[in-house]
Amino acid sequence: MELDEALRKAADLIVNASSVVAFTGAGISVESGIPDFRSSGGLWSKYDPEVYCNYSVFKQKPELFWKMAVDMQSTMAEAQPNPAHYALAELESMGYLKHVITQNVDNLHQRAGSNKVRELHGNGSTASCMACRSKVPISEAMDQLNSGKSVPVCSRCGGVLRMDAILFGEPLQSSVMEGSLRLAMFAEVMLVIGTSLVVSPANSLVQLCKSNQGTIVICDPSPANSHLAHVMLRGNAGEVLPRLVQACKALRTKGKAQM
Ligand SMILES: [Zn+2]
């Protein structure tokens, strides 16, 4: 199927479905300058996430995680939402997209204007005290690190601060996971963007939607998961999703003209 035809088909599904959910992974933020740690090279080859982002390692040696965070802070601070994030926010404001479920912790969906975002892996824009749970903007932790501390601490109780992103080996928040499973179960259309679908239990969301007669639309430059897709949109999300929004608008205009 050519991309134009696939876009028309996807738009038709989205406009006519009662419940559309988007499920996004690292791939959607690559165009914002945040590297996917599963791809080789770059920052992640320097910091093995299995060590630097591991929860049991963090509890013993929090300075390792924060050392990596210092090295990555300019990458994270400079990242801006890209046209794919804005396209999803627009689909929400048009009334077509019910929710975004994301594996990302970069806060870019919210910054692009999406209001309904479920973050499976938490959010890296805040940090919390391991002892008293008080929450601060991540900039407060970074300020401490940049002024020479190896581990940022809570200004209230002196406890160790942690980023509010879920680390490897740490359980997902059950309320977020349950809500996401429910969304997947009742979604008529799931728009899957930039996720390799290798991380469990996130990959089960697609299977759950599918086994409940949901239609899967995958947007990805790689054909790796095309066997799971009813409609495959091959290409970078930053180029493809704005075109999908246009296709939805065209259908809406056509629908109104026929009334
Ligand atoms: Zn505290």
Side-chain angles (χ1 to χ4, degrees), residues 15 79 89:
V15 168

Side-chain angles (χ1 to χ4, degrees), residues 54-67:
N54 183 293
Y55 188 53
S56 40
V57 174
F58 181 79
K59 283 190 287 186
Q60 300 298 321
K61 297 178 180 174
E63 64 275 14
L64 289 181
F65 174 88
W66 287 114
K67 180 179 186 300

Side-chain angles (χ1 to χ4, degrees), residues 33 35 37 41-48 68 71-73 75-76:
F37 61 76
L43 281 169
W44 294 107
S45 55
K46 196 167 157 193
Y47 298 103
D48 179 358
M68 175 196 72
D71 222 16
M72 289 185 179
Q73 65 181 328
T75 304
M76 298 315 245

Side-chain angles (χ1 to χ4, degrees), residues 128-134 153-161:
S128 293
C129 173
M130 298 281 282
C132 76
R133 304 281 159 209
S134 56
V153 293
C154 174
S155 60
R156 281 197 192 168
C157 77
V160 169
L161 289 179

Side-chain angles (χ1 to χ4, degrees), residues 72-121:
M72 289 185 179
Q73 65 181 328
S74 58
T75 304
M76 298 315 245
E78 282 161 19
Q80 299 293 331
N82 69 57
H85 296 104
Y86 288 112
L88 291 181
E90 195 169 356
L91 285 178
E92 183 190 306
S93 69
M94 288 164 77
Y96 293 137
L97 186 64
K98 191 172 181 183
H99 240 104
V100 175
I101 303 169
T102 187
Q103 294 172 293
N104 300 338
V105 302
D106 54 32
N107 206 38
L108 294 179
H109 286 299
Q110 291 91 331
R111 284 176 55 197
S114 285
N115 295 303
K116 293 181 177 171
V117 182
R118 259 173 220 272
E119 297 167 307
L120 293 176
H121 298 159

Side-chain angles (χ1 to χ4, degrees), residues 1-247:
M1 205 188 296
E2 291 296 319
L3 183 57
D4 278 333
E5 193 192 336
L7 280 166
R8 272 195 298 275
K9 193 165 178 193
D12 190 49
L13 287 163
I14 288 169
V15 168
N16 291 302
S18 61
S19 173
V20 181
V21 169
F23 177 36
T24 69
I28 196 171
S29 293
V30 169
E31 289 168 81
S32 292
I34 299 177
D36 181 354
F37 61 76
R38 283 185 189 78
S39 60
S40 55
L43 281 169
W44 294 107
S45 55
K46 196 167 157 193
Y47 298 103
D48 179 358
E50 296 287 352
V51 175
Y52 285 83
C53 301
N54 183 293
Y55 188 53
S56 40
V57 174
F58 181 79
K59 283 190 287 186
Q60 300 298 321
K61 297 178 180 174
E63 64 275 14
L64 289 181
F65 174 88
W66 287 114
K67 180 179 186 300
M68 175 196 72
V70 167
D71 222 16
M72 289 185 179
Q73 65 181 328
S74 58
T75 304
M76 298 315 245
E78 282 161 19
Q80 299 293 331
N82 69 57
H85 296 104
Y86 288 112
L88 291 181
E90 195 169 356
L91 285 178
E92 183 190 306
S93 69
M94 288 164 77
Y96 293 137
L97 186 64
K98 191 172 181 183
H99 240 104
V100 175
I101 303 169
T102 187
Q103 294 172 293
N104 300 338
V105 302
D106 54 32
N107 206 38
L108 294 179
H109 286 299
Q110 291 91 331
R111 284 176 55 197
S114 285
N115 295 303
K116 293 181 177 171
V117 182
R118 259 173 220 272
E119 297 167 307
L120 293 176
H121 298 159
N123 190 308
S125 65
T126 57
S128 293
C129 173
M130 298 281 282
C132 76
R133 304 281 159 209
S134 56
K135 208 183 257 294
V136 294
I138 196 68
S139 57
E140 208 170 303
M142 299 317 295
D143 286 348
Q144 292 188 36
L145 294 164
N146 291 330
S147 61
K149 276 193 179 156
S150 59
V151 176
V153 293
C154 174
S155 60
R156 281 197 192 168
C157 77
V160 169
L161 289 179
R162 62 157 299 165
M163 191 182 272
D164 290 328
I166 306 279
L167 298 174
F168 284 80
E170 190 176 12
L172 304 188
Q173 246 190 317
S174 58
S175 59
V176 176
M177 195 58 214
E178 281 159 21
S180 302
L181 289 170
R182 242 193 330 273
L183 284 168
M185 196 183 295
F186 294 111
E188 268 180 48
V189 177
M190 182 179 272
L191 186 52
V192 181
I193 305 143
T195 166
S196 52
L197 300 176
V198 292
V199 183
S200 179
N203 52 8
S204 58
L205 292 172
V206 171
Q207 290 300 348
L208 187 63
C209 177
K210 222 175 167 175
S211 58
N212 283 280
Q213 273 69 53
T215 303
I216 308 296
V217 177
I218 296 184
C219 173
D220 208 292
S222 151
N225 288 315
S226 25
H227 61 285
L228 296 170
H230 296 97
V231 181
M232 184 75 202
L233 305 172
R234 280 283 302 278
N236 291 324
E239 290 158 26
V240 173
L241 293 189
R243 289 176 64 186
L244 181 61
V245 172
Q246 290 311 317

